[in-house]
């Protein structure tokens, strides 16, 4: 390094001086890179020295002039505060980068080296006493400036998001005056999910930052069920030849947005992105689309401000009405609006920006211009800034201006901490200032990292461990009135440092939506929500947000909208008809209050009374020939068993209990076996009686009551043994069946061992088959023994009933299974009663003359 005693005088022609700069002298200088205007020039050929920029090539964004005023206001406050930096005056140097790489590098070198001229590797005359750099507004500007200031370890505070530098290597000397973009992306996702906007568009700049944004948001958005109707990238421009290409692409993007079903578009880009978006309605290639009005909810990221270029003064703002923007939190500062209100070209010493700002913002020309003929109004310098529309200038501090204001104070507090810790008396302050002149800026980093203070608005300002501003984002609603005034209404906030329930908050009741939505909450979905009772089925080859709604299958429900699958109700509940709600199941059993039960009860009582009546008739006429001829004891046993069979039906009616379940099948099977055994004994007796009448027959010894009793006892005992084995191994018990019927819980008797149940039925079927076979074979016996014909017919009825019982029993469910069994018991018992005893009762009661031994021997088969 060349010593101070040998400073070389640099007699070199200056490069093209910037058109705008603002210098305010001071002991220590804060450098700043502003973005106030575009220079739209022809492409450089590199075959000759490029011409200097002209004022006619400027396309200014007047609103950004407030950034310069915020810095000047902060420096003014600090210099008037004798406690913060006593005996030290801050100054600043501000250059415009004109949104280009060339002018960003130029401005950075000017800040690092000298005020007026520079030659690399030489120090020329004037020292800047630079303590840090504030800038830039957009990520590319910040990155380009960082490449130079990093060499000298000069602190750099940026006031715009810088996603390309979120993964910066340790030691690169800049501090973000904005919160992490990750929290902004999470806030956007929470906003989309809150309003159920699942079909959205993404609009970014066609550069590295835009690509990084798409890469950052695509995975978490997709995992949360958000789909992209389109992802478009707008083209930036720096030279005239690129404008037409940008316009053509912008027109196509606009048409795609209008034609899309998506009503929500997330716009991410540089600070001038809204300026480009305002071109879109005028660039459409289709006339009907140009005239088409469509409501769109624009979600603007924090870098976007509603600003305009001069020629957009009267352009329509309807497309942005109702937009939602994420903005860096800001607050009104005491005295700032008064400072701005008093600003005019006559009292802005050293401000090289204000003249062009004034002329473009107010649409006038100062009379001292070099142009001989003045077109338009004359600027008096007394115009009022508060009269400008909000798209040109705002009196309240914007978020970017607030970040610049805080950045100046961060540097001041870091200086204060450094001087307080190292300097013991005022004489050493001069040596401290000298150290900055000797490029020892790196010492300030130690104190910048630890800065923490409350600004004049009472809000805390500090950095986290990554050198990023510890704060959240406000969510604002953009409202445009008929008088072209613009208002931002705070409707929510996202703050990663807040409690979990306050990380994202939104007050949807105060949001004003675009007129195209008729103030109803907008929908932005590929497919309308599937109502409860339906589930989503993704269309093949389409994003997951595009689906068909299909009804839930039987027995399943969906009780929310947009359910991916239907689910079954619990066993205690069943689905309603709309399949959107689970209804508690009713308990079902064959109760006495039901019409079916009353009918079966009436039949059982009627048949049991008829059986008792028949038994009474037979007992009254027990000495008559017809009663004697049919084996009185066997007849009484048969009638009593039939009587009990009818009464067995009552064990099957009513709520199943442990006792009734235990008795119903066993009691019925044993009693029924006794009845069928009696029929078999009767049939066997008839056959043996016929065989005994033959001369020399040995069957005579078998004819008599002992044989009949033996048949009844042995056959019944076998059934009793089967039932005993059943009860001993796996007896019936009360149970619930929740699955046979969709809407009922069936209270039933579980048969325990089903095999034993069918063994019991099978044994009764065996007895019935044997009785039917024997009776059928003896149907042609002589007339005196023709009772076999009635037994044949009764067993035919009996077998028919129980053969039809099996498929009916297996095909029915719930209490109707019980009803089928009761009906089979009553029908088969009634068949035996009617077929065997009806003819005899007819003779006893109506034709007593036929109830004699002589008539019994002589009568024809058709009578009995």
């Amino acid at each position: 390094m060349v010593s101070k005693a040998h400073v070389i005088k640099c007699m070199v022609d200056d490069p093209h001086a910037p058109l705008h700069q603002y210098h305010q002298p001071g002991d220590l200088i804060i450098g700043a890179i502003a973005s106030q205007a575009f220079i739209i020039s022809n492409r450089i050929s590199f075959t000759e020295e490029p011409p200097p920029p002209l004022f006619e090539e400027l396309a200014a964004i007047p609103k950004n002039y407030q950034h310069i005023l915020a810095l000047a206001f902060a420096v003014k406050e600090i210099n008037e505060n004798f406690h913060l930096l006593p005996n030290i005056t801050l100054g600043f140097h501000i250059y415009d980068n004109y949104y280009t790489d060339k002018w960003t590098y130029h401005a950075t070198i000017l800040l690092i080296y000298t005020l007026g001229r520079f030659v690399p590797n030489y120090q020329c005359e004037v020292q800047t006493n630079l303590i840090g750099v504030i800038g830039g507004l957009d990520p590319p500007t910040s990155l380009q400036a960082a490449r130079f200031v990093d060499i000298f370890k000069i602190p750099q505070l940026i006031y715009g998001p810088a996603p390309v530098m979120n993964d910066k290597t340790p030691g690169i000397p800049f501090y973000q005056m904005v919160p992490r973009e990750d929290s902004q992306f999470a806030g956007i996702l929470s906003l989309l999910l809150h309003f159920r906007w699942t079909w959205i568009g993404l609009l970014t700049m066609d550069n590295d930052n835009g690509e990084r944004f798409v890469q950052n948001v695509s995975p978490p958005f997709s995992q949360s069920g958000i789909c992209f109707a389109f992802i478009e990238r707008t083209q930036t421009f720096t030279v005239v030849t690129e404008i037409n290409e940008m316009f053509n692409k912008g027109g196509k993007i606009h048409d795609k947005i209008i034609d899309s079903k998506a009503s929500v578009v997330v716009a991410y880009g540089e600070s001038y992105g809204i300026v480009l978006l305002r071109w879109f309605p005028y660039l459409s290639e289709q006339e009907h689309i140009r005239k088409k009005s469509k409501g769109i909810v624009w979600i603007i990221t924090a870098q976007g401000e509603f600003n305009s270029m001069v020629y957009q003064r009267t352009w329509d703002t309807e497309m942005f009405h109702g937009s939602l923007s994420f903005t860096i939190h800001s607050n009104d500062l005491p005295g700032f609006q008064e400072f701005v209100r008093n600003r005019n070209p006559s009292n802005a010493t050293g401000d090289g920006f204000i003249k062009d700002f004034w002329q473009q913002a107010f649409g006038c020309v100062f009379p001292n211009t070099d142009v001989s003929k003045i077109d338009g109004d004359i600027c008096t310098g007394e115009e009022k800034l508060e009269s400008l529309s909000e798209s040109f200038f705002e009196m309240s501090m914007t978020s970017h201006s607030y970040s610049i204001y805080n950045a100046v104070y961060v540097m001041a507090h870091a200086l204060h901490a450094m001087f307080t810790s190292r300097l013991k008396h005022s004489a050493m302050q001069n040596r401290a200032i000298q150290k900055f002149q000797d490029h020892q800026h790196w010492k300030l980093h130690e104190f910048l990292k630890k800065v923490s203070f409350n600004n004049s608005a009472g809000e805390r300002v500090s950095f986290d461990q990554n050198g990023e501003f510890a704060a959240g984002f406000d969510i604002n609603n953009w409202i445009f009135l008929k008088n072209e005034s613009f208002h931002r209404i705070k409707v929510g906030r996202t703050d990663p440092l807040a409690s979990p329930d306050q990380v994202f908050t939104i007050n949807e009741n105060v949001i004003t939506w675009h007129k195209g939505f008729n103030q109803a909450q907008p929908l932005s979905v590929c497919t309308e929500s599937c109502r409860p009772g339906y589930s989503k089925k993704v269309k093949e080859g389409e994003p997951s947000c595009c689906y068909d709604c299909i009804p839930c299958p039987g027995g399943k429900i969906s009780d929310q909208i947009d359910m991916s699958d239907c689910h079954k109700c619990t066993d205690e509940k069943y689905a309603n008809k709309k399949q959107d709600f689970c209804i508690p199941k009713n308990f079902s059993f064959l109760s006495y209050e039901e019409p079916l039960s009353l009918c079966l009860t009436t039949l059982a009582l009627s048949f049991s009374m008829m059986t008792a009546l028949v038994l009474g008739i037979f007992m009254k006429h027990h000495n008559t020939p017809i009663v004697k001829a049919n084996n009185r004891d066997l007849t009484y046993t048969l009638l009593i068993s039939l009587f009990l069979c009818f009464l067995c039906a009552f064990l099957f009616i009513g709520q199943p209990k442990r006792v009734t379940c235990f008795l119903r099948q066993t009691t019925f099977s044993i009693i029924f076996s006794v009845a069928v055994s009696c029929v078999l004994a009767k049939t066997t007796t008839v056959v043996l009686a016929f065989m005994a009448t033959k001369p020399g027959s040995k069957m005579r010894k078998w004819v008599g009551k002992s044989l009949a009793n033996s048949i009844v006892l042995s056959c019944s005992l076998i059934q009793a043994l089967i039932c005993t084995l059943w009860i001993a191994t796996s007896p019936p018990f009360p149970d619930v069946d929740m699955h046979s019927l969709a809407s009922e819980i069936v209270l039933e008797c579980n048969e325990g061992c089903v095999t034993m149940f069918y063994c019991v039925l099978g044994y009764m079927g065996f007895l019935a088959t044997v009785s039917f076979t024997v009776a059928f074979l003896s149907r042609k016996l002589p007339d005196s023994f023709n009772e076999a014909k009635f037994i044949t017919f009764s067993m035919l009825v009996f077998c028919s009933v129980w053969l039809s019982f099996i498929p009916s029993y297996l095909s029915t469910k719930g209490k109707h299974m019980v009803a089928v069994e009761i009906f089979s018991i009553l029908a088969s018992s009634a068949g035996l009663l009617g077929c065997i005893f009806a003819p005899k009762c007819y003779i006893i009661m109506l034709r007593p003359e036929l109830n004699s031994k002589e008539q019994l021997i002589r009568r024809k088969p058709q009578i009995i």
Side-chain angles (χ1 to χ4, degrees):
M1 180 179 293
V2 181
S3 66
K4 289 180 63 69
H6 298 87
V7 174
I8 298 175
K9 300 294 184 179
C10 305
M11 304 302 294
V12 182
D13 291 336
D14 292 339
H16 301 145
L19 297 177
H20 304 96
Q21 50 190 307
Y22 187 180
H23 294 170
Q24 179 173 309
D27 298 324
L28 299 175
I29 299 298
I30 296 175
I33 300 175
S35 298
Q36 300 292 305
F38 286 91
I39 293 181
I40 304 175
S41 59
N42 293 317
R43 189 181 298 274
I44 298 175
S45 64
F46 294 99
T47 59
E48 58 182 359
E49 183 181 353
L54 303 175
F55 285 100
E56 291 79 8
E57 296 176 337
L58 292 178
I61 301 180
K63 195 171 189 175
N64 288 357
Y65 180 65
Q66 193 194 83
H67 303 168
I68 295 172
L69 296 182
L71 191 149
F73 177 69
V75 170
K76 174 179 176 293
E77 282 190 336
I78 293 170
N79 288 336
E80 293 174 353
N81 186 342
F82 299 106
H83 300 286
L84 187 57
L85 292 176
N87 301 322
I88 296 177
T89 301
L90 287 183
F92 55 81
H93 299 162
I94 305 175
Y95 294 99
D96 197 342
N97 77 321
Y98 304 108
Y99 294 96
T100 63
D101 299 350
K102 167 190 171 182
W103 286 104
T104 300
Y105 291 132
H106 189 180
T108 306
I109 294 174
L110 285 174
L111 291 173
I112 293 174
Y113 284 94
T114 68
L115 288 175
R117 60 181 67 183
F118 75 91
V119 176
N121 299 323
Y122 290 88
Q123 296 181 14
C124 299
E125 296 185 350
V126 184
Q127 295 292 332
T128 64
N129 298 343
L130 185 69
I131 62 172
V133 174
I134 298 176
L137 173 59
D138 292 314
T141 302
S142 302
L143 181 60
Q144 292 149 11
R147 289 169 178 164
F148 278 89
V149 299
D150 184 30
I151 298 173
F152 300 94
K153 305 304 179 186
I154 299 172
Q156 180 186 1
L157 286 78
I158 62 176
Y159 58 97
V164 294
M165 293 185 280
N166 278 345
D167 300 326
K168 61 182 182 292
T169 56
I172 201 161
F174 71 77
Y175 302 85
Q176 288 184 219
M177 296 305 302
V178 296
R180 287 182 60 87
E181 285 219 313
D182 291 348
S183 63
Q184 179 180 204
F185 299 156
I188 294 174
L189 177 59
S190 297
L191 181 68
L192 296 174
L193 295 176
H194 176 82
F195 288 110
R196 297 183 179 274
W197 293 331
T198 58
W199 187 243
I200 67 168
L202 287 187
L203 185 62
T204 71
M205 291 289 188
D206 191 9
N207 56 23
D208 292 340
N209 297 299
E211 192 61 35
R212 176 67 62 86
F213 168 73
V214 174
Q215 293 176 1
N216 283 343
V217 303
S218 293
F221 280 29
S222 299
Q223 292 171 7
S224 300
I226 308 296
C227 302
F228 303 110
F230 56 85
I231 299 177
E232 293 294 331
R233 297 166 176 84
T234 60
Q235 187 171 335
T236 58
F237 68 95
T238 55
V239 295
V240 174
T241 55
E242 295 175 345
I243 293 180
N244 287 335
E245 185 179 350
M246 184 199 72
F247 284 173
N248 291 335
K249 189 170 183 179
K252 293 178 181 178
I253 292 174
H254 176 262
D255 294 346
K256 192 167 187 177
I257 292 174
I258 297 301
D259 286 336
S260 173
K261 291 173 64 177
S263 299
V264 175
V265 180
V266 179
Y268 176 90
E270 316 300 1
S271 58
Y272 54 87
I274 300 299
V275 172
L276 301 182
L277 287 181
R278 295 190 69 183
W279 273 99
F280 277 22
Y282 302 94
L283 301 176
S284 176
E285 298 178 352
Q286 305 177 42
E287 183 66 25
H288 75 281
I289 291 183
R290 194 179 300 123
K291 295 179 180 179
K292 186 177 179 180
S293 176
K294 177 186 176 181
I296 296 176
V297 179
W298 292 91
I299 298 178
I300 313 295
T301 54
Q303 188 65 353
E305 286 277 2
F306 181 71
N307 45 30
S308 303
M309 289 186 174
V310 175
Y311 56 82
Q312 296 175 318
R313 187 187 303 270
T314 60
W315 285 19
D316 185 29
T317 58
E318 178 63 26
M319 67 178 291
F320 293 109
H321 181 67
S323 298
L324 298 173
S325 70
F326 282 74
T327 59
I328 303 162
H329 176 69
S330 62
N331 210 335
D332 288 330
L333 299 172
F336 178 71
Q337 291 196 23
E338 186 64 24
F339 174 80
V340 172
R341 193 174 290 110
N342 294 331
R343 192 77 170 186
N344 60 64
S346 62
N347 62 14
T349 305
D351 187 351
F353 293 89
I354 191 168
K355 182 178 178 181
D356 283 332
F357 160 73
W358 208 268
Q359 290 183 141
Q360 297 207 33
F362 290 103
C364 59
V365 181
F366 284 101
N368 60 344
T369 180
D370 296 334
V371 181
S372 58
K373 184 179 180 181
I374 299 176
D375 294 328
D377 299 330
I378 300 292
C379 292
T380 64
E382 300 299 325
E383 291 82 4
K384 300 298 183 183
L385 290 175
E386 57 265 33
S387 67
L388 294 173
S389 66
E390 286 83 352
S391 64
F392 274 11
F393 192 81
E394 290 190 54
M395 295 299 293
S396 59
M397 183 170 277
T398 64
S399 58
H400 288 134
S401 298
Y402 191 70
S403 298
I404 293 171
Y405 174 87
N406 286 332
V408 176
Y409 266 91
V410 165
M411 286 193 177
H413 279 273
L415 285 172
H416 175 80
M418 186 176 71
F419 292 156
T420 301
S421 65
R422 297 184 180 181
L423 305 179
K424 302 300 181 182
H425 49 82
S426 59
M428 296 185 66
Q429 287 188 346
N430 294 327
R431 290 200 296 271
I433 295 173
Q434 183 63 45
K435 285 186 178 182
F436 276 99
Q437 293 176 341
D438 292 339
H439 303 290
Q440 297 192 24
H441 316 87
W442 58 271
K443 295 183 178 180
L444 192 59
H445 285 286
E446 177 185 351
F447 301 94
L448 281 170
K449 295 175 182 178
K450 300 177 182 179
V451 162
S452 180
F453 62 94
N454 289 340
N455 62 17
S456 61
E459 295 184 337
R460 199 70 182 167
V461 178
S462 62
F463 296 110
D464 61 17
Q465 65 273 15
N466 297 317
E468 295 166 328
F469 191 51
F473 293 88
D474 292 337
I475 304 174
N476 293 326
N477 185 208
W478 289 4
I479 300 174
F480 297 87
L481 303 180
K482 293 183 179 180
N483 60 359
E484 298 185 0
S485 62
F486 164 63
H487 298 282
R488 279 191 298 262
I489 306 298
K490 182 178 176 180
V491 296
R493 180 169 174 76
T494 175
D495 186 357
L497 303 179
S499 58
D501 60 333
Q502 294 295 317
V503 170
F504 172 81
T505 56
I506 189 76
N507 185 1
E508 57 187 77
N509 296 324
V510 299
I511 298 177
T512 299
W513 302 111
H514 189 280
K515 295 178 181 177
F517 300 116
N518 296 321
Q519 199 46 36
Q521 180 181 314
L523 292 176
S524 188
V525 293
C526 180
T527 304
E528 289 193 17
S529 297
C530 291
R531 303 191 311 271
Y534 292 80
S535 63
K536 298 189 298 185
K537 181 181 180 182
V538 178
K539 297 179 180 178
E540 187 175 354
E542 297 284 344
S544 60
C545 301
C546 301
Y547 47 80
D548 293 320
C549 295
I550 58 174
C552 290
K556 292 187 176 183
I557 69 157
S558 62
D559 52 3
Q560 298 178 10
I561 62 174
D562 287 339
M563 291 192 68
S564 299
D565 196 11
C566 302
H567 62 271
K568 288 185 177 180
C569 296
T570 60
D571 290 341
E572 296 80 11
K573 297 180 180 181
Y574 70 99
N576 63 346
K577 289 184 179 180
K578 294 183 178 180
Q579 293 181 284
D580 59 358
F581 183 74
C582 287
I583 302 174
K585 291 181 179 180
N586 295 320
F587 289 100
S588 173
F589 58 90
L590 196 62
S591 65
Y592 286 100
E593 291 78 13
E594 297 183 36
L596 179 60
S597 298
L598 292 175
C599 180
L600 293 174
T601 302
T602 302
L603 287 175
L605 289 173
S606 300
F607 285 130
S608 59
M609 286 172 28
M610 291 174 59
T611 306
L613 180 62
V614 171
L615 178 60
I617 292 173
F618 270 66
M619 292 181 69
K620 183 179 180 180
H621 301 84
H622 66 281
N623 289 321
T624 60
I626 197 168
V627 175
K628 291 181 178 180
N630 285 278
N631 194 333
R632 283 181 301 186
D633 295 338
L634 199 60
T635 300
Y636 295 158
T637 304
L638 176 59
L639 286 171
I640 292 172
S641 61
L642 289 177
F643 176 78
L644 295 176
C645 283
F646 289 126
L647 295 180
C648 279
F650 294 100
L651 291 174
F652 292 84
I653 301 175
Q655 182 175 346
K657 304 289 185 182
R658 184 176 182 83
V659 175
T660 55
C661 288
F662 190 82
L663 293 177
R664 65 165 57 168
Q665 297 292 358
T666 54
T667 303
F668 151 70
S669 59
I670 292 174
I671 293 175
F672 229 69
S673 296
V674 172
V676 178
S677 299
C678 291
V679 174
L680 178 60
K682 273 179 167 292
T683 309
T684 305
T685 300
V686 170
V687 173
L688 291 178
F690 169 74
M691 296 176 66
T693 58
K694 294 181 180 180
S697 175
K698 297 180 180 181
M699 293 297 175
R700 290 179 180 271
K701 62 181 179 179
W702 294 102
V703 177
K705 294 182 179 180
S706 57
L707 177 63
N709 293 336
S710 299
I711 292 175
V712 173
L713 288 175
S714 60
C715 292
S716 302
L717 183 60
I718 293 174
Q719 184 71 290
L721 290 174
I722 296 174
C723 291
T724 302
L725 181 63
W726 181 9
I727 293 172
T729 55
S730 180
F733 58 90
D735 197 7
V736 292
D737 180 6
M738 298 184 178
H739 307 290
S740 296
L741 298 177
S743 60
E744 295 178 349
I745 298 176
V746 180
L747 301 181
E748 63 178 8
C749 287
N750 189 310
E751 308 304 346
C753 181
V754 178
T755 303
M756 297 304 296
F757 171 66
Y758 284 108
C759 285
V760 167
L761 292 182
Y763 181 72
M764 286 193 298
F766 169 73
L767 290 180
T769 303
V770 172
S771 299
F772 173 75
T773 303
V774 174
F776 180 78
L777 293 176
S778 61
R779 70 189 186 284
K780 293 184 179 180
L781 293 176
D783 294 350
S784 299
F785 303 96
N786 59 8
E787 187 182 23
K789 293 185 178 181
F790 301 111
I791 294 175
T792 301
F793 188 68
S794 67
M795 296 313 299
L796 180 63
V797 173
F798 182 92
C799 292
S800 300
V801 169
W802 286 102
L803 285 175
S804 61
F805 161 78
I806 295 175
S808 301
Y809 186 81
L810 295 177
S811 61
T812 54
K813 297 178 181 180
K815 59 186 178 183
H816 295 100
M817 294 178 66
V818 180
V820 167
E821 187 168 0
I822 294 174
F823 180 79
S824 299
I825 293 171
L826 296 179
S828 58
S829 300
L832 292 177
L833 179 66
C835 294
I836 295 176
F837 294 100
K840 297 177 177 57
C841 290
Y842 172 76
I843 292 174
I844 293 172
M845 301 302 297
L846 300 179
R847 301 290 300 275
E849 70 276 9
L850 298 178
N851 190 7
S852 62
K853 187 174 181 180
E854 295 78 10
Q855 292 296 328
L856 186 63
I857 296 173
R858 295 179 180 179
R859 61 178 175 266
K860 301 295 181 181
Q862 66 269 19
I863 298 177
I864 302 179

